[in-house]
Each structure stands twice: as C-alpha cells, then as structure tokens.
Amino acid sequence: MNVLVLGSGGREHAIAWKIRQSENCGKLFCMPGNPGTAQIATNLEGSANDFETVKKAVLSNDIQMVVVGPEEPLVLGIRDFFAADAQLKDILFVGPCKKGAMLEGSKNFAKEFMDKYAIPTARYKSFSIDTLHEGEAFIDSLTAPYVLKADGLAAGKGVLILDSPDQAKAELRNMLSGKFGEASSTVVIEQFLSGIELSVFILTDGEEYLVLPEAKDYKRIGEEDTGLNTGGMGSVSPVSFADKAFMEKVEERIIRPTVSALKKEGMDYRGFIFIGLMNCGGDPYVIEYNVRMGDPETESVMTRIKSDFLQHLCATAKGRLKGEKIEIDDSCALTVVAVSGGYPQGYKKGYEITGSGNLYSCGSEGDIKIFHAGTTEKEGKIVTSGGRVLTVTVNGHDIGTCRQAAYGEMEKIHFTDIYFRRDIGLDLLK
Ligand code: AMP
Ligand code: GLY
C-alpha cells in the first residue's frame, strides 16, 4: 500500500518511521516532509492546507492511504474535501471530518460537547465583546488563578493563566478586542484545575477505539517548568502516575463517553484524539481535545508500539477497529527536543547541524533515534529552519537509562545557539 503522511514536524517523522516498518508499506510519501522523512520516504512539494495539490499528489503517485499530522488541514475540512471528490472518496483517510475537528478548532464547541455528555472538565462560561461585563463578573465569581482561552486556533498561544482578577479582566478585554485575531472573538473562561498533566491518545473509527501509550509532555521552555509555554520540550512514556486504576477511570469516564458522543453527534470521525488531561487527586478531567497526535509525545509513543501501526491505521480508516489489538512495549521512551536559541520567541535560522550519524539514519533499528522537525537541506548540509529543530528519542529499561543515553546523544549534536532542557523525566525519577 502506498501511503502519504501530511505535515513536516517531528510528529510526522515519527509516524512515517513507524509506518515504514510495516511489511504492507509500499511507497511512502510525506508532504512536505523534512530531511529526516527524506531518509525513509519521498518528500513531495506542497502544503497540507492546499487540497488541490494534495489531490494531484495522491492521484499521480497512486497513493491508497492519507494520514494527516497537523490539525489545520482537518479544521479546514480536508476530510470532507476527499469525501466529496469522486476520484478521492475511496482513498483510505485517517483524520476526522470538519465537524469532528471542531473539538480542537473551537474550545467553546469542545466545552459544550463535554457538558452535553457529562464528560468531566473544568467549570466554564464563554463570552464575546457584547457580554464583556458578564465575563468580568464571572471572573469575580472564581478564585485565582484565572484561565482564559481563545476559542479558535491560536498556534498554541491562546491560553492565558493569570494570577489577579484585574489582570484577568484586562486580558479578557484585550482578547475580545482582537489580541489573537478572530480566534479570540469568543473567550472561554474556566476554573483552574490543579494537578499533574498527562496526554492520552486514541485511534478511533467513530465506534471502537485503540488506546495508544500515554505520555507526559514538558511544556515550559525552562527547567523545572519555568518560563514561557512552548509546543513541548520533551516527553516521557509511560507515565508512572497513570497507573491501571487511573487509566480505567480515564477509559470509563472520558474515552468511552467521548467516542459514543461522536456517534450520537453524527460525526464521521476516523482518526486520532489526543486528550489533554489533568489528574486532580486521582480523578481525570479533560483540559482539551486535539484531533491529532501531540508533538513531542508522538516521538515517544510511536517507539513503544510493537504491533503493525499501518494495519491499525487501515482498520481505523475502514471503520473496522472492532477486534483490533494493539501491542505495546513495556520499555520506557524519552524524548528531548533541541530548539533554536530564543524560541519560543524570535530565533535565527540557517545554522548547520553536525555531530551525530543518527542525524542521517533514523531508519535504523537502534535505541537512539533522531526525528527531524525544523531542519532543511542546503548545499548538501542539514541546517536549522525552525524553532523546534529536532528530537532525540531513546528507548530503554527505565527513565534513568533513557536520560543517560538521550543526553549523551544530545551532547554530540551541534548547531549555533542550540538549547534543550536537561531535566526531562527527572521529576518522574523521584
Ligand atoms: P490548552 O491549549 O487548552 O492545552 O492549554 C494550554 C495549557 O494551559 C495546558 O496544557 C495546561 O497546562 C494549561 N491549562 C489549560 N486549562 C487549564 C485549567 N483549566 N486549569 C489549569 N491549567 C490549565
Ligand atoms: N505537545 C502538545 C501538543 O502537541 O499540543
């Protein structure tokens, strides 16, 4: 089977790497991909958001399955575009329809969905510029800290957590006046949940589901979770506090009601759901839904799946997940992200990356993998092209072993202004 993975980050490199291992994988393509995916697949020019270009690529390369990495093309309706096109409608497709993608595309939609189906989440209300004063009164009814969320996609920057009611009211006004453009014309204000965060992933065909390995993401730029929020500076899987009893609660209170609600809402949902959870004293609450995998969680998650992932994707796309079983390795996976100095704010690009042979051979079966993200090839060299440059992902018996190997590998990698957190997994060792 010829497969196309849409996207260009570390997540897509890891998904492509896992698909490549299947004996049913014929030609593998990525659009646009990166120098890492080029080692295991053919990169195609184009953007996942340009549906006509995707269509041409699918037809001219005899592609039988499409797997969507990022959320944006899903929110824009790429699944619906395929379903409505006579030449594309029978292509196997992993990614939800536009309505399903609203679980990520609109925080207000997701909160209403959870409310309607009694899925545990923080208490909330939504406001527009016309209801600004009600919003201010709602802030007064809550205790600090205050959580304000732009309703729409805001490149991961649309959530503000503020300590004082005055700051919260000022930011509410800023957001409703266009701080995040159209995305914050509606703002969700919600109760702050205190606890430990965890990322849970499922593959669902809208009726049945497979639970993928869970992971913990390290979101802040600074060690010990300080400084600005980022897309994620590292990940670990499995997560020690997500024990059997906790995961049973997640399945019973969150996963099953979510999947059955997709069906009741009439959504054609065949794809991933990434459930961001807070473990509040042993009880799970949903912080957010995403309609894609997480990054850098995917890099850890994929390396722990033993069964044929392409087969799971096929079963998902065909609506035949019933009876499908996933096999997960007991070992530990740890991912450290190397970023360009300055990220998540301004940074420079175009620095040459050197130092490790693994930069060129992620396809190998060793315990150390480098997944590329913001890299590009220039005159035969691999150079930086984004804030999130690459990940080192390691599998091992325990977190301590993985940390040692991952940081040993990271020390070999050089580019100007490289930065990475040195404390990934440290909290889980205690
Ligand atoms: P989101 O984009 O919804 O994932 O939010 C970004 C981050 O803000 C989350 O990963 C949490 O760390 C934090 N966050 C979001 N909502 C809440 C909440 N209700 N209580 C505490 N922290 C939250
Ligand atoms: N690592 C969090 C995300 O992908 O949104």
Side-chain angles (χ1 to χ4, degrees), residues 306-381:
K306 284 205 288 193
S307 40
D308 184 333
F309 195 59
L310 179 57
Q311 182 185 311
H312 300 327
L313 293 171
C314 276
T316 302
K318 288 178 180 168
R320 289 196 202 141
L321 269 181
K322 198 176 169 110
E324 188 81 6
K325 294 267 182 289
I326 184 165
E327 264 183 88
I328 295 170
D329 202 293
D330 288 337
S331 71
C332 172
L334 182 138
T335 294
V336 182
V337 181
V339 302
S340 302
Y343 171 85
Q345 294 177 301
Y347 54 83
K348 292 193 178 140
K349 304 177 192 178
Y351 294 126
E352 185 182 357
I353 310 170
T354 56
S356 169
N358 288 316
L359 273 167
Y360 302 93
S361 63
C362 181
S364 70
E365 292 299 312
D367 285 337
I368 298 179
K369 292 155 197 89
I370 293 183
F371 293 115
H372 290 232
T375 69
T376 191
E377 203 174 317
K378 201 172 161 195
E379 294 156 9
K381 293 174 179 166

Side-chain angles (χ1 to χ4, degrees), residues 11 199 217 219 231-232 274 288 290 292-297:
R11 167 182 53 209
S199 304
D217 176 20
K219 287 189 199 294
F274 156 8
E288 61 166 354
N290 295 296
R292 52 172 172 89
M293 290 294 290
D295 195 349
E297 291 98 321

Side-chain angles (χ1 to χ4, degrees), residues 198-371:
L198 164 80
S199 304
V200 169
F201 304 96
I202 64 166
L203 247 182
T204 180
D205 60 6
E207 300 231 6
E208 305 285 332
Y209 58 86
L210 290 179
V211 183
L212 309 184
E214 78 285 353
K216 176 174 158 59
D217 176 20
Y218 294 76
K219 287 189 199 294
R220 302 293 193 98
I221 188 73
E223 283 162 24
E224 296 188 16
D225 294 327
T226 53
L228 293 173
N229 247 325
T230 71
M233 296 298 293
S235 66
V236 176
S237 176
V239 182
S240 47
F241 60 82
D243 56 15
K244 194 160 178 272
F246 180 77
M247 289 307 285
E248 274 170 12
K249 286 186 198 169
V250 171
E251 199 155 348
E252 186 189 322
R253 298 181 194 173
I254 293 168
I255 297 177
R256 261 189 243 135
T258 298
V259 173
S260 96
L262 299 174
K263 196 172 170 197
K264 288 184 192 136
E265 292 293 310
M267 293 176 190
D268 182 2
Y269 204 114
R270 283 174 267 171
F272 298 102
I273 306 182
F274 156 8
I275 309 169
L277 287 179
M278 194 70 90
N279 177 343
C280 302
D283 290 317
Y285 288 81
V286 178
I287 297 176
E288 61 166 354
Y289 289 115
N290 295 296
V291 298
R292 52 172 172 89
M293 290 294 290
D295 195 349
E297 291 98 321
T298 306
E299 290 87 321
S300 291
V301 167
M302 288 297 140
T303 62
R304 289 192 58 222
I305 298 174
K306 284 205 288 193
S307 40
D308 184 333
F309 195 59
L310 179 57
Q311 182 185 311
H312 300 327
L313 293 171
C314 276
T316 302
K318 288 178 180 168
R320 289 196 202 141
L321 269 181
K322 198 176 169 110
E324 188 81 6
K325 294 267 182 289
I326 184 165
E327 264 183 88
I328 295 170
D329 202 293
D330 288 337
S331 71
C332 172
L334 182 138
T335 294
V336 182
V337 181
V339 302
S340 302
Y343 171 85
Q345 294 177 301
Y347 54 83
K348 292 193 178 140
K349 304 177 192 178
Y351 294 126
E352 185 182 357
I353 310 170
T354 56
S356 169
N358 288 316
L359 273 167
Y360 302 93
S361 63
C362 181
S364 70
E365 292 299 312
D367 285 337
I368 298 179
K369 292 155 197 89
I370 293 183
F371 293 115

